[in-house]
Amino acid sequence: MTDHAQTVAPEAPAETDARGRVAELHAIREQVVRGPGEKATAAQHARGKLTARERIELLLDEGTFREVEPLRRHRATGFGLEAKRPYTDGVITGWGTVHGRTVFVYAHDFRIFGGALGEAHATKIHKIMDMAIAAGAPLVSLNDGAGARIQEGVSALAGYGGIFQRNTRASGVIPQISVMMGPCAGGAAYSPALTDFVFMVRETSQMFITGPDVVKAVTGEDITHNGLGGADVHAATSGVAHFIYDDEESCLEEVRYLLSLLPQNNRENPPAQTTEDPVERRTDSLLDLVPADGNRPYDMRQVIEELVDDGEYLEVHERWAGNIICALARMDGHVVGIVANQPQSLAGVLDIHASEKAARFVQMCDAFNIPILTLLDVPGFLPGVDQEHGGIIRHGAKLLYAYCNATVPRISVVLRKAYGGAYIVMDSQSIGADLTFAWPTNEIAVMGAEGAANVIFRRQIAAADDPDAARARLVKEYKSELMHPYYAAERGLVDDVIDPAETREVLIRSLAMLRSKHADLPSRKHGNPPQ
């Protein structure tokens, strides 16, 4: 743990008049804002990092930050701490606004005790978290700390426990966003993991439970800090990070954008905006974007761009589980969560990671009153020994549970194929979708026609003089009888088959109708979702 703080407690104030006391207060406040000194600030900048106050200035609307407990100092003794009692105790807490709406924030100040958490430090965080929950406003943490303050022993560890308990109590009540801007090791990493979104900055932020030295001592593996827990690792491999950026300025700007898409709390709807993108805008290009041949890939992102306002959306977990897309966007100015198979990656199948990714996103949308739009083009679950042994049944059930448990407006659109259990899991009408639409290119079935024909007609194919010709004939017969575009609609499993060019208008008008939807779950303490 690095300690750059050299601030010594000032002498007791001398007797003076009221004006003198006010002047003294301003002098102390200047010292608080200045922090531990130019040398520590230069060292922070040399690492490619901003100071805690510089970060807060970028996050919040200009001039709106109101600090809480800036004069707090630790009261620990021993190990030299009594001679070093800097104001703020290494964490800046308070509130301000983002796009005019209240947001609470705490930011570790790495210049003071390396941002390490002690008793006073933790108490400040507990207080601001309690204030955010009580006020019903989002909480953003700017993390840049060296873990628990060793000199304070178990008191520091207990401080983390209080943070975790509040993270859990706030879950689904207010949006919680963790922004990683430095190291986050050991138990400290569990607070970001409990929040709704995790942002990371390349090269300067890392997260891990045990560091490279411990890993090498225990397993013999030699790895760098970034190789073990850097931004790219957590964005593409572990799935811990939802968003990553090259610099802190871009990162904080995107945090502001995300906040503009979220409600203040679970009792409010996300903020709506006016848009010049017409509701009735036709999406004729979708006819060319999506091939009728179910075996040909295409980029689902282009479909999303055509449907949403001005083609703008924020993709969540963009680099993890690329076979499914989760995104926040607006349609007619209202926020919607989009879950869509991505045919360009693994043909859009559902696997362990895709199921986890989509399940968490669906739960977040449901918690914060964001309607869910599901775009289906799914050939099924990914087959394989690794998937089965890895628990695809258990993980796939997470997505099923999330959809079945969601009470927000839910609309699904079958673009092309929707086969087997994956069709059911991807918000089919049978698990509670409010409206289900399909394009004329849709194929909804237990499995693909060739596989189905091989199972149903295997004896006839084997006995035929020309098995290949018999198979082709029977596949065609199966398609015409059970997989034609109107089969599901005839049985009420699809509400309508629509022209792809009218998709945007149909969805917007349907979402408007569902905006007043009210649905209650059975009375219970809580469910027991598959883990």
Side-chain angles (χ1 to χ4, degrees):
M1 182 183 69
T2 304
D3 181 3
H4 297 292
Q6 301 298 328
T7 307
V8 179
E11 296 179 1
E15 289 294 330
T16 184
D17 60 13
R19 291 183 183 278
R21 290 293 177 87
V22 170
E24 182 182 57
L25 169 63
H26 286 299
I28 292 174
R29 287 192 177 278
E30 287 178 11
Q31 180 182 335
V32 171
V33 172
R34 187 169 60 251
E38 294 181 1
K39 184 177 180 181
T41 299
Q44 180 80 348
H45 289 162
R47 297 185 183 94
K49 301 193 296 184
L50 300 174
T51 66
R53 294 188 184 277
E54 289 170 339
R55 291 164 177 165
I56 291 173
E57 288 175 4
L58 287 173
L59 173 67
L60 300 177
D61 297 337
E62 186 177 355
T64 65
F65 181 58
R66 181 66 184 177
E67 191 168 352
V68 175
E69 295 193 350
L71 306 182
R72 168 81 78 156
R73 297 189 294 181
H74 73 77
R75 54 189 177 185
T77 58
F79 304 102
L81 286 179
E82 64 276 1
K84 299 176 182 178
R85 300 183 62 224
Y87 291 117
T88 74
D89 200 49
V91 63
I92 300 169
T93 60
W95 77 87
T97 64
V98 173
H99 302 301
R101 298 192 302 156
T102 300
V103 172
F104 289 82
V105 60
Y106 69 85
H108 299 127
D109 191 340
F110 193 83
R111 301 172 302 165
I112 297 175
F113 298 131
L117 182 138
E119 182 183 17
H121 183 120
T123 302
K124 289 182 64 175
I125 295 175
H126 295 168
K127 179 170 183 173
I128 209 67
M129 294 180 79
D130 289 339
M131 291 176 67
I133 296 169
L139 174 70
V140 178
S141 63
L142 305 179
N143 297 270
D144 186 7
R149 195 173 299 170
I150 299 172
Q151 296 95 321
E152 295 194 33
V154 72
S155 296
L157 294 179
Y160 276 121
I163 294 173
F164 303 157
Q165 192 265 347
R166 288 167 174 81
N167 284 139
T168 304
R169 194 168 77 231
S171 180
V173 178
I174 58 171
Q176 298 180 85
I177 299 173
S178 297
V179 189
M180 316 312 297
M181 303 191 128
C184 185
Y190 282 113
S191 177
L194 289 169
T195 60
D196 300 301
F197 299 98
V198 175
F199 287 72
M200 293 188 75
V201 179
R202 286 188 175 93
E203 301 303 324
T204 58
S205 64
Q206 303 91 28
M207 297 173 66
F208 36 70
I209 299 300
T210 55
D213 293 340
V214 176
V215 168
K216 185 173 182 179
V218 174
T219 70
E221 298 170 286
D222 196 358
I223 193 167
T224 65
H225 285 79
N226 281 322
L228 181 63
D232 288 297
V233 168
H234 286 309
T237 305
S238 73
V240 170
H242 298 78
F243 307 97
I244 63 169
Y245 298 93
D246 290 329
D247 57 79
E248 295 188 8
E249 292 84 355
S250 299
C251 181
L252 291 169
E253 183 60 34
E254 286 299 284
V255 174
R256 288 174 56 86
Y257 179 46
L258 173 60
L259 285 166
S260 76
L261 296 168
L262 299 175
Q264 290 292 88
N265 54 64
N266 64 335
R267 301 184 302 277
E268 298 183 9
N269 291 322
Q273 295 183 354
T274 57
T275 177
E276 296 181 0
D277 196 345
V279 170
E280 63 277 7
R281 172 171 59 81
R282 290 178 60 83
T283 50
D284 295 279
S285 61
L286 294 178
L287 294 167
D288 300 317
L289 281 176
V290 182
D293 181 357
N295 293 319
R296 289 179 58 193
Y298 62 93
D299 189 353
M300 184 66 81
R301 291 187 179 91
Q302 293 180 300
V303 175
I304 295 172
E305 288 174 7
E306 283 296 312
L307 295 177
V308 303
D309 292 352
D310 304 312
E312 294 183 359
Y313 64 93
L314 178 63
E315 187 169 350
V316 179
H317 269 144
E318 180 180 356
R319 297 186 57 201
W320 185 58
N323 41 323
I324 202 159
I325 296 172
C326 298
L328 292 169
R330 282 191 169 89
M331 299 187 74
D332 192 30
H334 294 272
V335 177
V336 62
I338 299 172
V339 179
N341 304 108
Q342 172 58 296
Q344 273 195 340
S345 177
L346 296 176
V349 298
L350 289 179
D351 61 3
I352 290 172
H353 288 164
S355 298
E356 288 186 330
K357 171 180 171 178
R360 179 66 189 255
F361 182 76
V362 168
Q363 289 174 170
M364 184 279 300
C365 289
D366 186 52
F368 295 116
N369 307 313
I370 300 173
I372 301 167
L373 169 62
T374 305
L375 305 177
L376 286 89
D377 191 346
V378 60
F381 282 93
L382 181 64
V385 174
D386 289 345
Q387 288 290 307
E388 296 295 345
H389 288 186
I392 184 61
I393 297 173
R394 175 166 52 86
H395 294 287
K398 294 178 183 178
L399 181 54
L400 179 61
Y401 187 98
Y403 269 124
C404 290
N405 204 48
T407 60
V408 293
R410 291 154 49 192
I411 300 176
S412 62
V413 183
V414 181
L415 277 59
R416 292 196 308 187
K417 56 190 177 294
Y419 296 157
Y423 154 66
I424 300 295
V425 169
M426 289 286 292
D427 207 18
S428 62
Q429 192 177 100
S430 59
I431 67 168
D434 296 295
L435 288 169
T436 303
F437 300 107
W439 287 359
T441 48
N442 84 85
E443 292 181 352
I444 303 174
V446 175
M447 63 176 67
E450 290 193 9
N454 286 333
V455 172
I456 298 171
F457 306 115
R458 74 175 175 275
R459 291 182 181 176
Q460 293 166 256
I461 293 172
D465 294 334
D466 187 344
D468 291 337
R471 182 182 294 105
R473 176 179 57 80
L474 292 168
V475 166
K476 185 177 181 180
E477 179 182 319
Y478 181 85
K479 277 189 173 183
S480 64
E481 290 293 325
L482 296 177
M483 294 180 64
H484 64 79
Y486 304 98
Y487 183 83
E490 290 171 1
R491 284 151 182 80
L493 300 175
V494 166
D495 291 293
D496 197 6
V497 179
I498 62 174
D499 181 349
E502 299 172 355
T503 305
R504 172 176 163 84
E505 181 178 3
V506 168
L507 291 175
I508 288 175
R509 300 205 184 282
S510 299
L511 287 166
M513 179 275 294
L514 289 168
R515 206 158 288 139
S516 59
K517 174 186 175 184
H518 177 76
D520 289 321
L521 293 172
S523 178
R524 60 184 175 184
K525 185 175 181 181
H526 57 73
N528 185 24
Q531 297 296 328

